[in-house]
Amino acid sequence: MRTRRRRLPGLAITVAIGLTLGLSACSSSSDASSTSSAASTDASAPAASAPASSAASEPTASEPTASGPITIGAFNFGESKILANLYAAALTSVGYEPTISELTNREVVEPALEKGEVQVVPEYLSTLAEFLNAKANGPDATPVASGDVDATLTALQNLAGPLGITILAPSPAADQNAFAVTKEFATTNGIATLSDLAAYSQKNPVTLGGPPECPTRPFCQPGLEKTYGLKVGDFVSLDAGGPLTKAALSQGKIDVGLVFSSDGGVAANDLVVLTDDKALQNADNIVAAVNTSALTPALESALDAVNSALTTDDLVQLNKAVDVDRGDPAAVAAAWLAQKGLFQ
Amino acid sequence: MSALQELVAWFTDPAQWTGSSGIPARLLQHALICAWAMAIAIAVALPAGLWLGHRHRWGTLVTSVGNLGRAIPTFALLIILASWEPVGVSDLAAVIALAVFAIPPILSNAYVGVRDVDTGATDAATGMGMTGRQVLWRVELPLSVPVVAAGIRTSTVQVVATATLAALVGGGGLGRFVVDGFGRQDPTLMFAGVVLVAITCVVVELVGSAVQRALTPRALRGGTVLGTF
């Protein structure tokens, strides 16, 4: 009995220490991450301020013919690097000397564009609109983005204009939430749109796969149920358009899964994206966001030429060439421009 | 409302105690995943460890398997299994990954426990005319119960804590609260999951200790016996 009594407090102490360590580790890690992101924002600002001063003193903005150095900002993922390279090739063709600055996330990129530390950024229509909306009107602001491209563009231009940012014409290409099924499932049941899937699900409730937050997010399960009347029999929590969702689709563990419309891995896995025929998703078309002081007619026409030629299917192929086939973004971009006969 | 108050409010909300995503359902899923993983691990590791310990052989093999098993990242194994067609995205992937994770402590402790039984006792048993099998069952096993059981107990607690990973590949269990809480940016849900897992582990540890004590022959109960882990 003596040993037993001695061991129980020991165990209790171990548990108490374990819990304390676990909880404190969690709280300190969240503190650390918030400070580190703040630090990176601060750090990036002075680092990128050198090109800003040169851009401000640059005479090109007032001249009709464009020339001189220009900086394109890119996010830290493959698609953004490809788009930045497409823009770089376009700007080179009209006389600019572009450099690509690979930044991190929108929290860093947007202020850099505003301050003129970068002059051009390949952006996403609705995502940027909501980012600026939250920045101007607080995190609980009424959403301004929707599935309507023109309405979202007007809202974005109204938010971006006062910040010294001009939004050029949106590309038909979009990278947004999409729902995919296997080719076999689509062919067997004659399903091409989300409305088709909703009709099918009335008799055969579907198994939906997506990120853990899908059952509570308006653009995921609740949106599918409300906008399309989709009958969801079961939800399987996986990842946001990542390898697990694609694997689960191929394995038949789920009928329909959340993916991204421009994901190069979708076609590679014999999956097809269903058409969002009732425009549930926000229109996240590619747009060029330009610092207004750097805007010239030559710059606008060069970027418009790229954006108007680019489709979501093109973007899928470009992403596949980089993410699946491991191509170099600059080489992949050059090959696409050659294929389209642009800026030759 | 403070984080603690929100946590208390979450636990006292009747909605958390019913339905297919309530605490009892998740606890049951968690228990089933752990039970299957432990059943497989014990079926593989216990006979092997006991027999090799009895034969005083292949100690290097047991050590190597034990170390190798601990070197395999359970999460990586889980993702590989989930992406592999015959297993796929399911609780089965978690059961297999956890079984692999559970084997090393059981194997090592079974081997060491039986091997280190006083040779005086086994020599005497052999001298009395016992066969090898009788020596194992009647002498070595009862004398090594504290060490062997400690291996199983350690392994069980580790598995109960690690089974939260199942939620990352579409499985159920208490990890659902943690993963969903993280995905939905709902810290209360996440901490509720953490608290539930921690409490479950403590309960399993206490029950394991009681079972271990009950299985230990009365004559051996005096000393404090801890596992090798």
Side-chain angles (χ1 to χ4, degrees), chain B residues 5-72:
Chain B
Q5 283 171 313
E6 283 186 27
L7 198 62
V8 172
W10 188 89
F11 274 104
T12 47
D13 181 355
Q16 311 302 345
W17 295 91
T18 53
S20 61
S21 59
I23 296 169
R26 294 296 184 212
L27 198 59
L28 182 66
Q29 290 168 345
H30 202 88
L32 281 174
I33 293 170
C34 295
W36 276 109
M38 286 310 295
I40 294 171
I42 290 173
V44 171
L46 197 58
L50 293 178
W51 182 246
L52 294 175
H54 170 68
R55 300 291 300 268
H56 287 241
R57 274 194 193 170
W58 292 333
T60 323
L61 177 79
V62 173
T63 318
S64 306
V65 169
N67 289 341
L68 193 69
R70 262 169 291 199
I72 297 174

Side-chain angles (χ1 to χ4, degrees), chain B residues 54-148:
Chain B
H54 170 68
R55 300 291 300 268
H56 287 241
R57 274 194 193 170
W58 292 333
T60 323
L61 177 79
V62 173
T63 318
S64 306
V65 169
N67 289 341
L68 193 69
R70 262 169 291 199
I72 297 174
T74 307
F75 182 45
L77 184 62
L78 187 65
I79 298 289
I80 292 168
L81 287 168
S83 317
W84 185 46
E85 183 78 47
V87 179
V89 174
S90 60
D91 283 345
L92 181 62
V95 166
I96 298 173
L98 288 169
V100 171
F101 175 68
I103 284 174
I106 304 176
L107 185 67
S108 307
N109 273 36
Y111 175 79
V112 170
V114 172
R115 188 196 63 186
D116 289 355
V117 166
D118 189 352
T119 44
T122 51
D123 285 351
T126 313
M128 286 164 70
M130 284 193 187
T131 63
R133 191 164 294 195
Q134 285 171 324
V135 173
L136 175 59
W137 281 108
R138 298 191 190 168
V139 180
E140 290 173 325
L141 195 55
L143 288 175
S144 63
V145 157
V147 180
V148 176

Side-chain angles (χ1 to χ4, degrees), chain A residues 1 3-4 6-8 11 15 19 23 26-27 212-217 236-238 244 247-248 250-253, chain B residues 79 82-85 87-90 153 167-170 176 179-180 183-184 191 198 202 205-206 209 213 222 224:
Chain A
M1 282 320 282
T3 51
R4 186 185 234 174
R6 215 173 58 215
R7 277 173 56 200
L8 272 177
L11 178 67
V15 167
L19 274 174
L23 290 172
C26 287
S27 62
E213 62 273 24
C214 179
T216 57
R217 287 284 189 273
V236 181
S237 167
L238 299 161
L244 278 177
S250 302
Q251 292 161 5
K253 304 273 183 190
Chain B
I79 298 289
S83 317
W84 185 46
E85 183 78 47
V87 179
V89 174
S90 60
R153 186 173 52 117
L168 289 168
V169 293
R176 242 338 356 117
V179 173
D180 290 352
R184 294 170 195 171
F191 277 116
V202 172
E205 169 70 27
L206 292 175
S209 302
R213 199 178 163 75
T224 305

